[in-house]
Amino acid sequence: MDKVKELILRKPIIFLLVAGVYLLLVDLLKWGIHLTADTAWFIAGGVIGIYFLDAAELFFRLTPSPFRSIVFTTLFTMVSFFIVTSSRSALASGLVLSLYLQMVLWQVGEWRVAGNLNTWYRMVATPVSFKTQGVILMTFSALFFLETYLFIY
């Protein structure tokens, strides 16, 4: 029970607020004010997605986290694109879109604190320039917005 409490308390409040607003906005744009089963499943998947990777890191004691790497980010982007465009499951779409948002927030947070994303590129053989890191972060973020758009429409 202590691990669950730790998991909930260690999530920055800004991440929760941004994810909550995002989920509600997507919900409104997709289904309007009509409450459907898909609406509930989407929100449930989104809430799970907010904590999913944090839970995996905490419960499996993953240090450094394999989820905070460019390799995982690249693979996740491909999988999430497939799920959002091919799956009819609102739960799965809510989960991957929320996970994606959490990863964007992690990267933006690290960029603001450390001034780079060097830890995300540990698995890459050669150093990645500051400019390239910025371009990749912008591309990753743009793909997130594209997936959101494709889900809504």
Short mmCIF file of all heavy atoms in Angstrom, two decimals, residues 26-71:
data_model
loop_
_atom_site.label_atom_id
_atom_site.label_comp_id
_atom_site.label_asym_id
_atom_site.label_seq_id
_atom_site.Cartn_x
_atom_site.Cartn_y
_atom_site.Cartn_z
N VAL A 26 -10.21 16.36 -25.22
CA VAL A 26 -10.34 15.35 -26.27
C VAL A 26 -11.70 14.69 -26.18
O VAL A 26 -12.36 14.47 -27.20
CB VAL A 26 -9.20 14.30 -26.17
CG1 VAL A 26 -9.47 13.11 -27.08
CG2 VAL A 26 -7.86 14.94 -26.51
N ASP A 27 -12.14 14.40 -24.97
CA ASP A 27 -13.46 13.81 -24.76
C ASP A 27 -14.56 14.70 -25.34
O ASP A 27 -15.44 14.23 -26.07
CB ASP A 27 -13.67 13.58 -23.26
CG ASP A 27 -14.99 12.93 -22.96
OD1 ASP A 27 -15.32 11.93 -23.63
OD2 ASP A 27 -15.69 13.41 -22.05
N LEU A 28 -14.50 15.99 -25.06
CA LEU A 28 -15.50 16.91 -25.57
C LEU A 28 -15.44 17.03 -27.09
O LEU A 28 -16.48 17.10 -27.76
CB LEU A 28 -15.34 18.29 -24.93
CG LEU A 28 -15.82 18.41 -23.50
CD1 LEU A 28 -15.43 19.76 -22.91
CD2 LEU A 28 -17.32 18.20 -23.41
N LEU A 29 -14.25 17.07 -27.65
CA LEU A 29 -14.11 17.19 -29.10
C LEU A 29 -14.56 15.91 -29.82
O LEU A 29 -15.09 15.98 -30.93
CB LEU A 29 -12.67 17.53 -29.48
CG LEU A 29 -12.22 18.93 -29.09
CD1 LEU A 29 -10.72 19.09 -29.32
CD2 LEU A 29 -12.99 19.99 -29.85
N LYS A 30 -14.36 14.77 -29.21
CA LYS A 30 -14.71 13.50 -29.84
C LYS A 30 -16.20 13.17 -29.69
O LYS A 30 -16.86 12.80 -30.64
CB LYS A 30 -13.84 12.37 -29.23
CG LYS A 30 -14.19 10.98 -29.70
CD LYS A 30 -13.40 10.60 -30.89
CE LYS A 30 -13.64 9.14 -31.26
NZ LYS A 30 -13.24 8.87 -32.59
N TRP A 31 -16.73 13.31 -28.46
CA TRP A 31 -18.09 12.87 -28.20
C TRP A 31 -19.04 13.99 -27.81
O TRP A 31 -20.21 13.75 -27.56
CB TRP A 31 -18.09 11.81 -27.09
CG TRP A 31 -17.43 10.53 -27.50
CD1 TRP A 31 -17.94 9.60 -28.35
CD2 TRP A 31 -16.15 10.06 -27.11
NE1 TRP A 31 -17.04 8.57 -28.51
CE2 TRP A 31 -15.93 8.83 -27.76
CE3 TRP A 31 -15.15 10.55 -26.28
CZ2 TRP A 31 -14.77 8.08 -27.59
CZ3 TRP A 31 -14.00 9.82 -26.12
CH2 TRP A 31 -13.81 8.60 -26.77
N GLY A 32 -18.55 15.21 -27.72
CA GLY A 32 -19.41 16.31 -27.31
C GLY A 32 -19.79 16.16 -25.84
O GLY A 32 -19.05 15.61 -25.05
N ILE A 33 -20.98 16.60 -25.50
CA ILE A 33 -21.43 16.51 -24.11
C ILE A 33 -22.18 15.22 -23.83
O ILE A 33 -22.70 15.02 -22.73
CB ILE A 33 -22.30 17.73 -23.73
CG1 ILE A 33 -23.52 17.83 -24.64
CG2 ILE A 33 -21.48 19.00 -23.75
CD1 ILE A 33 -24.54 18.85 -24.19
N HIS A 34 -22.24 14.33 -24.80
CA HIS A 34 -22.95 13.07 -24.64
C HIS A 34 -22.07 12.05 -23.92
O HIS A 34 -20.96 11.76 -24.35
CB HIS A 34 -23.36 12.51 -26.01
CG HIS A 34 -24.11 13.50 -26.83
ND1 HIS A 34 -25.39 13.90 -26.52
CD2 HIS A 34 -23.76 14.20 -27.93
CE1 HIS A 34 -25.79 14.79 -27.40
NE2 HIS A 34 -24.82 15.00 -28.27
N LEU A 35 -22.58 11.53 -22.82
CA LEU A 35 -21.85 10.51 -22.09
C LEU A 35 -22.15 9.15 -22.70
O LEU A 35 -23.31 8.76 -22.80
CB LEU A 35 -22.24 10.53 -20.62
CG LEU A 35 -21.86 11.79 -19.85
CD1 LEU A 35 -22.40 11.74 -18.43
CD2 LEU A 35 -20.36 11.97 -19.84
N THR A 36 -21.10 8.49 -23.13
CA THR A 36 -21.25 7.16 -23.71
C THR A 36 -20.31 6.20 -22.98
O THR A 36 -19.47 6.63 -22.19
CB THR A 36 -20.87 7.16 -25.21
OG1 THR A 36 -19.48 7.44 -25.33
CG2 THR A 36 -21.66 8.20 -26.00
N ALA A 37 -20.45 4.93 -23.28
CA ALA A 37 -19.53 3.95 -22.69
C ALA A 37 -18.10 4.24 -23.16
O ALA A 37 -17.15 4.12 -22.38
CB ALA A 37 -19.95 2.54 -23.08
N ASP A 38 -17.95 4.64 -24.43
CA ASP A 38 -16.61 4.96 -24.94
C ASP A 38 -15.99 6.14 -24.19
O ASP A 38 -14.78 6.17 -23.97
CB ASP A 38 -16.67 5.26 -26.44
CG ASP A 38 -16.73 4.01 -27.28
OD1 ASP A 38 -16.43 2.91 -26.76
OD2 ASP A 38 -17.06 4.13 -28.48
N THR A 39 -16.82 7.09 -23.81
CA THR A 39 -16.32 8.23 -23.03
C THR A 39 -15.71 7.74 -21.72
O THR A 39 -14.59 8.12 -21.36
CB THR A 39 -17.47 9.21 -22.71
OG1 THR A 39 -18.07 9.64 -23.92
CG2 THR A 39 -16.99 10.40 -21.93
N ALA A 40 -16.43 6.88 -21.03
CA ALA A 40 -15.94 6.36 -19.75
C ALA A 40 -14.68 5.52 -19.95
O ALA A 40 -13.72 5.63 -19.17
CB ALA A 40 -17.03 5.53 -19.07
N TRP A 41 -14.65 4.69 -20.99
CA TRP A 41 -13.48 3.86 -21.25
C TRP A 41 -12.27 4.72 -21.61
O TRP A 41 -11.14 4.44 -21.20
CB TRP A 41 -13.75 2.84 -22.35
CG TRP A 41 -14.59 1.70 -21.90
CD1 TRP A 41 -15.84 1.37 -22.35
CD2 TRP A 41 -14.27 0.73 -20.90
NE1 TRP A 41 -16.31 0.27 -21.68
CE2 TRP A 41 -15.36 -0.15 -20.79
CE3 TRP A 41 -13.17 0.53 -20.08
CZ2 TRP A 41 -15.38 -1.22 -19.90
CZ3 TRP A 41 -13.18 -0.54 -19.19
CH2 TRP A 41 -14.27 -1.40 -19.11
N PHE A 42 -12.49 5.77 -22.39
CA PHE A 42 -11.39 6.66 -22.76
C PHE A 42 -10.79 7.33 -21.52
O PHE A 42 -9.57 7.37 -21.36
CB PHE A 42 -11.86 7.72 -23.77
CG PHE A 42 -10.81 8.72 -24.13
CD1 PHE A 42 -9.79 8.38 -25.00
CD2 PHE A 42 -10.82 9.99 -23.58
CE1 PHE A 42 -8.80 9.30 -25.33
CE2 PHE A 42 -9.84 10.91 -23.91
CZ PHE A 42 -8.83 10.56 -24.78
N ILE A 43 -11.65 7.87 -20.66
CA ILE A 43 -11.18 8.52 -19.44
C ILE A 43 -10.46 7.51 -18.54
O ILE A 43 -9.40 7.80 -17.97
CB ILE A 43 -12.34 9.21 -18.68
CG1 ILE A 43 -12.94 10.34 -19.52
CG2 ILE A 43 -11.89 9.71 -17.32
CD1 ILE A 43 -12.02 11.52 -19.77
N ALA A 44 -11.02 6.30 -18.41
CA ALA A 44 -10.38 5.26 -17.60
C ALA A 44 -9.00 4.93 -18.14
O ALA A 44 -8.03 4.83 -17.38
CB ALA A 44 -11.26 4.01 -17.55
N GLY A 45 -8.88 4.76 -19.45
CA GLY A 45 -7.58 4.49 -20.07
C GLY A 45 -6.61 5.64 -19.84
O GLY A 45 -5.43 5.43 -19.57
N GLY A 46 -7.12 6.86 -19.93
CA GLY A 46 -6.28 8.03 -19.70
C GLY A 46 -5.75 8.10 -18.29
O GLY A 46 -4.58 8.41 -18.06
N VAL A 47 -6.60 7.80 -17.32
CA VAL A 47 -6.18 7.82 -15.92
C VAL A 47 -5.13 6.73 -15.67
O VAL A 47 -4.12 6.97 -15.00
CB VAL A 47 -7.39 7.68 -14.97
CG1 VAL A 47 -6.94 7.47 -13.54
CG2 VAL A 47 -8.29 8.91 -15.09
N ILE A 48 -5.34 5.56 -16.23
CA ILE A 48 -4.34 4.49 -16.10
C ILE A 48 -3.02 4.93 -16.73
O ILE A 48 -1.94 4.73 -16.17
CB ILE A 48 -4.85 3.18 -16.75
CG1 ILE A 48 -6.03 2.62 -15.95
CG2 ILE A 48 -3.73 2.15 -16.85
CD1 ILE A 48 -6.79 1.52 -16.67
N GLY A 49 -3.11 5.57 -17.89
CA GLY A 49 -1.91 6.01 -18.60
C GLY A 49 -1.10 7.04 -17.84
O GLY A 49 0.13 7.11 -17.97
N ILE A 50 -1.76 7.84 -17.02
CA ILE A 50 -1.05 8.86 -16.25
C ILE A 50 -0.03 8.21 -15.31
O ILE A 50 1.07 8.72 -15.11
CB ILE A 50 -2.04 9.72 -15.45
CG1 ILE A 50 -2.86 10.60 -16.40
CG2 ILE A 50 -1.32 10.59 -14.42
CD1 ILE A 50 -4.02 11.33 -15.74
N TYR A 51 -0.38 7.07 -14.75
CA TYR A 51 0.46 6.43 -13.75
C TYR A 51 1.17 5.17 -14.23
O TYR A 51 1.99 4.62 -13.51
CB TYR A 51 -0.38 6.07 -12.51
CG TYR A 51 -0.83 7.28 -11.75
CD1 TYR A 51 -2.13 7.76 -11.86
CD2 TYR A 51 0.05 7.95 -10.92
CE1 TYR A 51 -2.54 8.87 -11.15
CE2 TYR A 51 -0.35 9.07 -10.21
CZ TYR A 51 -1.65 9.53 -10.33
OH TYR A 51 -2.05 10.64 -9.63
N PHE A 52 0.88 4.69 -15.42
CA PHE A 52 1.34 3.38 -15.87
C PHE A 52 2.87 3.23 -15.86
O PHE A 52 3.41 2.30 -15.27
CB PHE A 52 0.79 3.08 -17.26
CG PHE A 52 0.97 1.66 -17.68
CD1 PHE A 52 0.10 0.68 -17.25
CD2 PHE A 52 2.01 1.29 -18.52
CE1 PHE A 52 0.25 -0.64 -17.63
CE2 PHE A 52 2.18 -0.02 -18.91
CZ PHE A 52 1.29 -0.99 -18.46
N LEU A 53 3.57 4.14 -16.52
CA LEU A 53 5.03 4.02 -16.58
C LEU A 53 5.68 4.30 -15.23
O LEU A 53 6.68 3.66 -14.87
CB LEU A 53 5.60 4.95 -17.66
CG LEU A 53 5.20 4.61 -19.09
CD1 LEU A 53 5.78 5.62 -20.07
CD2 LEU A 53 5.61 3.20 -19.46
N ASP A 54 5.12 5.23 -14.47
CA ASP A 54 5.63 5.49 -13.12
C ASP A 54 5.49 4.24 -12.25
O ASP A 54 6.39 3.91 -11.48
CB ASP A 54 4.88 6.65 -12.47
CG ASP A 54 5.16 7.97 -13.15
OD1 ASP A 54 6.34 8.26 -13.41
OD2 ASP A 54 4.20 8.72 -13.42
N ALA A 55 4.35 3.55 -12.39
CA ALA A 55 4.13 2.33 -11.62
C ALA A 55 5.14 1.25 -12.01
O ALA A 55 5.70 0.57 -11.15
CB ALA A 55 2.70 1.82 -11.83
N ALA A 56 5.38 1.11 -13.29
CA ALA A 56 6.35 0.11 -13.75
C ALA A 56 7.74 0.42 -13.20
O ALA A 56 8.45 -0.47 -12.73
CB ALA A 56 6.38 0.05 -15.27
N GLU A 57 8.14 1.69 -13.24
CA GLU A 57 9.45 2.08 -12.71
C GLU A 57 9.55 1.81 -11.20
O GLU A 57 10.57 1.31 -10.72
CB GLU A 57 9.71 3.57 -12.96
CG GLU A 57 9.94 3.92 -14.39
CD GLU A 57 10.03 5.42 -14.61
OE1 GLU A 57 9.70 6.22 -13.72
OE2 GLU A 57 10.44 5.80 -15.72
N LEU A 58 8.49 2.11 -10.49
CA LEU A 58 8.50 1.95 -9.03
C LEU A 58 8.45 0.49 -8.62
O LEU A 58 9.27 0.03 -7.82
CB LEU A 58 7.31 2.71 -8.42
CG LEU A 58 7.18 2.65 -6.91
CD1 LEU A 58 8.36 3.37 -6.26
CD2 LEU A 58 5.87 3.29 -6.48
N PHE A 59 7.52 -0.27 -9.17
CA PHE A 59 7.33 -1.64 -8.73
C PHE A 59 8.45 -2.58 -9.19
O PHE A 59 8.78 -3.53 -8.51
CB PHE A 59 5.97 -2.17 -9.19
CG PHE A 59 4.83 -1.55 -8.42
CD1 PHE A 59 3.98 -0.65 -9.04
CD2 PHE A 59 4.63 -1.84 -7.08
CE1 PHE A 59 2.94 -0.07 -8.33
CE2 PHE A 59 3.59 -1.26 -6.37
CZ PHE A 59 2.74 -0.37 -7.00
N PHE A 60 9.04 -2.30 -10.35
CA PHE A 60 10.13 -3.15 -10.83
C PHE A 60 11.50 -2.56 -10.52
O PHE A 60 12.52 -3.10 -10.94
CB PHE A 60 9.98 -3.41 -12.33
CG PHE A 60 8.72 -4.16 -12.66
CD1 PHE A 60 7.72 -3.56 -13.41
CD2 PHE A 60 8.53 -5.46 -12.22
CE1 PHE A 60 6.55 -4.25 -13.70
CE2 PHE A 60 7.37 -6.15 -12.51
CZ PHE A 60 6.38 -5.55 -13.26
N ARG A 61 11.53 -1.42 -9.83
CA ARG A 61 12.77 -0.74 -9.44
C ARG A 61 13.70 -0.55 -10.64
O ARG A 61 14.86 -0.98 -10.62
CB ARG A 61 13.46 -1.52 -8.33
CG ARG A 61 12.66 -1.55 -7.06
CD ARG A 61 13.44 -2.22 -5.94
NE ARG A 61 12.64 -2.23 -4.73
CZ ARG A 61 12.16 -3.34 -4.19
NH1 ARG A 61 12.40 -4.51 -4.72
NH2 ARG A 61 11.45 -3.27 -3.10
N LEU A 62 13.19 0.10 -11.65
CA LEU A 62 13.94 0.33 -12.88
C LEU A 62 14.73 1.62 -12.78
O LEU A 62 14.17 2.71 -12.82
CB LEU A 62 12.99 0.38 -14.08
CG LEU A 62 12.17 -0.88 -14.33
CD1 LEU A 62 11.15 -0.65 -15.41
CD2 LEU A 62 13.08 -2.03 -14.70
N THR A 63 16.04 1.49 -12.62
CA THR A 63 16.91 2.66 -12.54
C THR A 63 18.18 2.37 -13.31
O THR A 63 18.86 1.40 -12.99
CB THR A 63 17.27 2.98 -11.07
OG1 THR A 63 16.07 3.10 -10.33
CG2 THR A 63 18.06 4.24 -10.96
N PRO A 64 18.53 3.10 -14.30
CA PRO A 64 17.74 4.16 -14.91
C PRO A 64 16.56 3.57 -15.68
O PRO A 64 16.61 2.42 -16.13
CB PRO A 64 18.72 4.86 -15.86
CG PRO A 64 19.72 3.82 -16.20
CD PRO A 64 19.82 2.92 -15.00
N SER A 65 15.56 4.36 -15.84
CA SER A 65 14.33 3.90 -16.48
C SER A 65 14.53 3.66 -17.97
O SER A 65 14.99 4.55 -18.69
CB SER A 65 13.22 4.92 -16.30
OG SER A 65 12.09 4.52 -17.02
N PRO A 66 14.16 2.48 -18.46
CA PRO A 66 14.23 2.24 -19.90
C PRO A 66 13.15 3.00 -20.66
O PRO A 66 13.22 3.14 -21.88
CB PRO A 66 14.03 0.73 -20.02
CG PRO A 66 13.25 0.36 -18.81
CD PRO A 66 13.70 1.30 -17.73
N PHE A 67 12.15 3.51 -19.93
CA PHE A 67 11.06 4.25 -20.57
C PHE A 67 11.46 5.68 -20.89
O PHE A 67 10.79 6.36 -21.66
CB PHE A 67 9.81 4.26 -19.69
CG PHE A 67 9.38 2.89 -19.27
CD1 PHE A 67 9.23 2.58 -17.93
CD2 PHE A 67 9.12 1.92 -20.19
CE1 PHE A 67 8.84 1.33 -17.53
CE2 PHE A 67 8.73 0.65 -19.81
CZ PHE A 67 8.59 0.35 -18.47
N ARG A 68 12.52 6.14 -20.28
CA ARG A 68 12.99 7.51 -20.50
C ARG A 68 14.21 7.47 -21.42
O ARG A 68 15.29 7.92 -21.07
CB ARG A 68 13.31 8.18 -19.17
CG ARG A 68 12.07 8.31 -18.30
CD ARG A 68 12.39 8.84 -16.93
NE ARG A 68 11.28 8.65 -16.03
CZ ARG A 68 10.64 9.64 -15.40
NH1 ARG A 68 11.01 10.88 -15.58
NH2 ARG A 68 9.64 9.37 -14.59
N SER A 69 13.99 6.89 -22.59
CA SER A 69 15.06 6.77 -23.58
C SER A 69 14.49 7.00 -24.98
O SER A 69 13.31 6.78 -25.22
CB SER A 69 15.72 5.39 -23.51
OG SER A 69 14.85 4.41 -24.03
N ILE A 70 15.34 7.41 -25.86
CA ILE A 70 14.92 7.68 -27.24
C ILE A 70 14.52 6.38 -27.94
O ILE A 70 13.65 6.38 -28.81
CB ILE A 70 16.00 8.45 -28.02
CG1 ILE A 70 15.42 9.05 -29.30
CG2 ILE A 70 17.19 7.59 -28.32
CD1 ILE A 70 14.34 10.08 -29.07
N VAL A 71 15.10 5.26 -27.53
CA VAL A 71 14.74 3.97 -28.13
C VAL A 71 13.30 3.63 -27.79
O VAL A 71 12.49 3.31 -28.67
CB VAL A 71 15.71 2.86 -27.65
CG1 VAL A 71 15.25 1.50 -28.15
CG2 VAL A 71 17.13 3.16 -28.10
#
